[in-house]
């Protein structure tokens, strides 16, 4: 009777040890994922909820709840965050905008005016096309200068007033000689509107704008 050959010893899987590079790599991946998750949560906690525009708002228009929504933003510094109005601060009554604000724009403190709900008085101006800087648009703040007939000296009649509306320059084939510009006056400025209109009646008007640095 033939004796069967001995069976080969079974290879048992060895338990991974700390020296196993696969185990070390797995531990490293878990640690990296944990750090990334902690950083994302930390960044989320650093966001600040501020007011933003729900729709476009023109100069002098009131800024009530219907015009505003909220947005969470992570600012790089406290100084940058202070430029905008946080939702933790209550909105003053009669708040209005001093310039045009676009839909989705964060609500800047510099563009706010607490006028008690008073609206701007619109003053139409007929200005030579060459007297309107190309950078002037709705929402720009301008100075209004007038040079009366028979004189060569210009007088500044209005300072830092917002442009409420602005006509186009016309087509390239038939450019406009004059442009219609409507500026907004605060209530204290509007008290002298009669003198302003009289001074503008026989004068050539020029607009100037302080360009951003």
């Amino acid at each position: 009777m033939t004796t069967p050959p001995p069976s080969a010893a079974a290879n048992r899987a060895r338990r991974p040890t700390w020296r196993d590079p696969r185990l070390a790599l797995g531990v490293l991946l878990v640690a990296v994922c944990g750090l990334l998750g902690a950083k994302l949560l930390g960044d989320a906690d650093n966001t600040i909820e501020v007011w933003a525009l729900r729709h476009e708002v023109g100069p002098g228009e009131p800024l009530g709840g219907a015009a505003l929504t909220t947005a969470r933003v992570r600012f790089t510094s406290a100084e940058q965050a202070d430029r905008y109005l946080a939702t933790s601060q209550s909105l003053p009554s009669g708040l209005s905008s001093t310039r045009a604000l676009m839909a989705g724009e964060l609500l800047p403190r510099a563009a706010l005016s607490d006028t008690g709900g008073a609206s701007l008085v619109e003053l139409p101006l007929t200005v030579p096309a060459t007297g309107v800087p190309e950078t002037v648009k709705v929402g720009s703040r301008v100075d209004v200068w007038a040079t009366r007939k028979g004189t060569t000296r210009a007088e500044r009649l209005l300072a830092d007033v917002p442009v409420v509306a602005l006509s186009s320059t016309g087509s390239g084939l038939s450019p406009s000689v004059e442009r219609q510009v409507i500026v907004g006056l605060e209530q204290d400025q509007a008290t002298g509107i009669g003198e302003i209109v009289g001074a503008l009646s026989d004068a050539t008007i020029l607009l100037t704008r302080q360009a951003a640095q």
Side-chain angles (χ1 to χ4, degrees):
M1 182 175 181
T2 305
T3 303
S7 59
N11 293 327
R12 297 182 178 179
R14 296 182 179 180
R15 292 184 178 181
T17 65
W18 288 107
R19 295 181 180 179
D20 190 333
R22 293 172 298 177
L23 180 60
L25 180 60
V27 172
L28 179 61
L29 289 175
V30 171
V32 170
C33 290
L35 290 175
L36 289 176
K39 185 178 186 305
L40 289 175
L41 290 175
D43 290 345
D45 292 339
N46 289 334
T47 59
I48 299 176
E49 190 175 64
V50 296
W51 293 107
L53 275 297
R54 189 185 302 274
H55 55 74
E56 184 176 349
V57 172
E61 291 189 27
L63 292 170
L68 300 176
T69 184
T70 61
R72 296 200 68 88
V73 182
R74 183 163 59 91
F75 296 101
T76 57
S77 65
E79 180 181 0
Q80 185 186 43
D82 195 52
R83 297 175 185 173
Y84 304 95
L85 197 63
T87 57
S88 58
Q89 300 171 310
S90 58
L91 292 174
S93 59
L95 197 65
S96 63
S97 172
T98 60
R99 64 172 176 83
L101 298 173
M102 305 303 294
E105 183 178 351
L106 302 182
L107 187 61
R109 293 180 183 273
L112 302 180
S113 174
D114 186 2
T115 59
S119 58
L120 296 176
V121 176
E122 297 183 358
L123 175 66
L125 304 173
T126 301
V127 188
T130 55
V132 182
E134 293 184 359
T135 56
V136 170
K137 57 185 179 180
V138 173
S140 297
R141 303 191 72 87
V142 298
D143 292 347
V144 179
W145 297 79
T147 304
R148 299 187 182 186
K149 292 181 180 180
T151 66
T152 57
R153 184 180 180 85
E155 178 185 2
R156 185 170 66 178
L157 299 180
L158 294 169
D160 195 35
V161 291
V163 175
V164 178
L166 181 68
S167 66
S168 64
T169 56
S171 64
L173 297 177
S174 57
S176 301
V177 178
E178 296 178 329
R179 299 187 68 180
Q180 182 82 4
V181 182
I182 299 179
V183 296
L185 307 184
E186 299 285 353
Q187 294 299 319
D188 57 341
Q189 294 174 311
T191 56
I193 195 170
E195 296 180 4
I196 295 173
V197 172
L200 294 172
S201 61
D202 62 344
T204 301
I205 304 173
L206 174 73
L207 304 183
T208 60
R209 173 179 175 268
Q210 182 68 43
Q213 297 294 329

